Amino acid sequence: MRNIAYCLFLVLVLSACKKEQEIITPEIEVPVTTFTLTFENVMKAHNFFQSGTTDLIQLEERKTYTFVAGVGMHLSFVTMLLESNDLFYGFEDKGIALYDENGVALTGDITSEVRLWDAGIAINEITDKGNRKTSRQRALHSEIREDDVIQLVDSLKDDLVYPRPDSTIRLSLEHDGNNQFILTIENISSDEFLNSTLSPGVFAIHQQNKQLFKAGEKAPSGFDAMADNGDNAVLWAQVSEETGFTSIIGTGVYIVHKEGNPIFTNGEQDRGQGLETLAEYGNPEILHNVLKADSTFPEVGLFNDPIGNDVLNLGGKLVPGDRYEFSFNANPGDYVSIASMLVETNDLFFAFAEGGLELFPLGLPLNGEVTNKIQLWDSGTESNEFPGAGCFQPLRNGAKESTDEHGVVQPVNDAFIYPAISDLVRVTIKSEN
Ligand SMILES: [Ca+2]
Ligand SMILES: [Ca+2]
Ligand SMILES: [Ca+2]
């Protein structure tokens, strides 16, 4: 229902005339303006948190790859066995869990997790000697296509003998005690079983429900070029496109106010009114109650009812693609301030610049996109970790005690890289009266 209220607005007319002249004070009715603010999560729901390429690895060579991963994340990789038609190494198709249920990182020799897969692209031939050069394979592939699905070589119904993974490749993991891993891939193949180079490949860090490939399905198109001539460029283009930071956004609080900073002051410590809980856990209740208790603020509210495809129903939190919409009344001279957590961080929140958003610039009600007025703030109450992977961040913190930052509220300024604000949220405001 359209909310229209009216108030009396006194216009004071200052007279330059003589004192005894009567001051005219006409009463003019000025309608209260209703604003609707839309706060949208525009992040891409990436399949992979991090990814990278692996090199061509010759006999007796070893290569290392560094990546960051948080509790709950999995590692997948793919490298073709060049002395074959379309065989490749990987883990089980869901990847391997990088941490156990107690949050302990997987380290040491993980070769026993490696599987030899058939990409289903080419008919397999004997792989015992070095007569399956990639140049010849290309010709074979163009004529004979297996046109089948990815499956473990163990389940193939042919008479060929395939080398065990641990006779050809060795993988190990190191962990720095925080969230950085080093993966080592070593080519240990020999004439005894199969002497083969490992093709340039791809690795990816992802959640449990994401995969680099799927058993029983056709190989992704990039597998073709890898099987043909060890070219990982097509697969890498796909994987890197699907890689990046993504996050839900916490339920938030809004407040209409006059000039000033009702929620925080740039460069000063958090006031202890609930911003810490909002910024660290995405819970705005305490801050909302504190602001609501102050009768000088007639318009204080929560935004916690996403519009869109919130099938996950994460307690009102905002998944990529969804938006909040909320309305409030305001008069000339009013500002609006908001605060809402970027959940895949320790204590970062979205807010307008200090002092809020001016709702009547030049006396006219504000309309249009205001994303460029939004900043990502650090509440200074918890030490920052790698965005999306830190063990004290809400989706991974379990019962762990976080580290107090003893800092001040300020625009985020740490060692990590964050997407541009316009790649995280889109904020628009619409007025009517
Ligand atoms: Ca095959
Ligand atoms: Ca912080
Ligand atoms: Ca804290």
Side-chain angles (χ1 to χ4, degrees):
M1 192 175 116
R2 192 173 169 193
N3 184 4
I4 301 174
Y6 290 90
C7 74
L8 295 177
F9 189 75
L10 295 178
V11 177
L12 182 65
V13 178
L14 292 174
S15 173
C17 304
K18 293 172 185 172
K19 281 181 186 171
E20 45 282 11
Q21 192 168 345
E22 199 178 344
I23 294 172
I24 306 161
T25 57
E27 291 177 347
I28 301 170
E29 280 190 343
V30 174
V32 167
T33 304
T34 301
F35 290 91
T36 299
L37 200 142
T38 304
F39 189 92
E40 186 181 356
N41 182 341
V42 296
M43 284 174 253
K44 273 184 71 177
H46 292 109
N47 287 330
F48 308 117
F49 176 65
Q50 289 203 331
S51 59
T53 56
T54 62
D55 302 278
L56 183 90
I57 305 178
Q58 307 274 11
L59 191 63
E60 294 181 351
E61 251 190 328
R62 68 162 70 186
K63 301 274 185 179
T64 60
Y65 307 95
T66 301
F67 61 86
V68 167
V71 170
M73 288 183 187
H74 288 231
L75 168 68
S76 287
F77 83 105
V78 174
T79 175
M80 284 279 171
L81 194 58
L82 284 182
E83 288 296 343
S84 76
N85 300 88
D86 64 340
L87 305 185
F88 68 92
Y89 286 122
F91 300 120
E92 290 289 346
D93 61 352
K94 290 180 168 51
I96 54 167
L98 286 164
Y99 295 85
D100 68 14
E101 61 275 16
N102 299 315
V104 177
L106 180 67
T107 56
D109 193 316
I110 53 168
T111 309
S112 63
E113 304 287 344
V114 178
R115 307 283 179 265
L116 184 58
W117 294 87
D118 185 314
I121 295 166
I123 299 289
N124 295 352
E125 298 165 285
I126 298 166
T127 56
D128 60 352
K129 286 293 168 196
N131 57 357
R132 295 285 172 263
K133 298 300 178 198
T134 52
S135 56
R136 187 164 159 243
Q137 275 192 287
R138 187 179 299 143
L140 283 171
H141 286 176
S142 60
E143 291 158 18
I144 311 166
R145 286 192 60 92
E146 205 171 7
D147 208 20
D148 205 343
V149 296
I150 292 177
Q151 53 188 319
L152 288 166
V153 294
D154 297 342
S155 60
L156 294 174
K157 292 176 179 56
D158 60 26
D159 299 329
L160 301 178
V161 176
Y162 297 96
R164 287 165 51 96
D166 61 6
S167 68
T168 316
I169 189 171
R170 183 182 291 149
L171 261 69
S172 62
L173 277 175
E174 292 166 65
H175 185 248
D176 72 348
N178 190 7
N179 50 29
Q180 185 168 295
F181 288 86
I182 298 173
L183 169 69
T184 301
I185 303 178
E186 188 177 355
N187 184 340
I188 58 165
S189 70
S190 70
D191 285 333
E192 190 182 347
F193 299 102
L194 175 72
N195 177 343
S196 175
T197 301
L198 300 171
S199 83
V202 167
F203 70 92
I205 315 306
H206 54 89
Q207 299 295 341
Q208 192 170 7
N209 58 346
K210 304 294 182 187
Q211 296 179 213
L212 205 49
F213 64 89
K214 284 183 181 165
E217 292 191 4
K218 286 213 184 308
S221 58
F223 278 56
D224 247 336
M226 276 180 69
D228 274 353
N229 55 12
D231 179 1
N232 64 351
V234 178
L235 183 60
W236 172 236
Q238 289 169 2
V239 170
S240 58
E241 174 69 23
E242 294 170 18
T243 300
F245 176 83
T246 192
S247 177
I248 55 175
I249 292 173
T251 56
V253 65
Y254 68 88
I255 177 169
V256 177
H257 56 95
K258 300 296 178 194
E259 260 186 294
N261 309 307
I263 300 178
F264 63 88
T265 305
N266 187 8
E268 291 185 9
Q269 281 197 346
D270 169 47
R271 298 171 187 175
Q273 296 180 334
L275 179 63
E276 180 172 2
T277 314
L278 180 146
E280 293 184 16
Y281 303 99
N283 180 354
E285 298 284 346
I286 300 172
L287 179 62
H288 175 252
N289 291 342
V290 167
L291 298 174
K292 195 92 181 164
D294 185 339
S295 58
T296 55
F297 303 123
E299 286 274 0
V300 176
L302 293 169
F303 45 97
N304 53 11
D305 189 13
I307 299 168
N309 307 304
D310 183 32
V311 288
L312 298 174
N313 190 22
L314 299 161
K317 292 182 168 62
L318 198 64
V319 302
D322 286 5
R323 67 188 189 278
Y324 293 123
E325 262 184 34
F326 53 94
S327 298
F328 51 85
N329 295 329
N331 294 303
D334 282 345
Y335 294 72
V336 65
S337 284
I338 64 170
S340 177
M341 184 189 187
L342 178 59
V343 172
E344 288 284 8
T345 65
N346 296 82
D347 60 341
L348 304 189
F349 63 99
F350 295 103
F352 293 117
E354 187 189 26
L357 179 70
E358 189 179 6
L359 290 168
F360 295 86
L362 303 172
L364 295 171
L366 191 60
N367 264 301
E369 182 164 353
V370 290
T371 309
N372 62 358
K373 306 284 188 191
I374 290 281
Q375 287 178 277
L376 193 55
W377 294 81
D378 187 329
S379 76
T381 55
E382 185 174 311
S383 297
N384 297 2
E385 301 171 289
F386 196 100
C391 61
F392 295 119
Q393 293 163 1
L395 300 187
R396 285 166 295 282
N397 68 358
K400 285 175 187 162
E401 198 63 42
S402 63
T403 323
D404 200 328
E405 196 168 29
H406 300 293
V408 296
V409 182
Q410 59 182 341
V412 64
N413 179 21
D414 59 23
F416 306 112
I417 294 168
Y418 299 90
I421 292 291
S422 58
D423 290 330
L424 300 172
V425 293
R426 183 184 303 123
V427 184
T428 55
I429 195 159
K430 203 173 70 188
S431 63
E432 58 178 324
N433 54 19

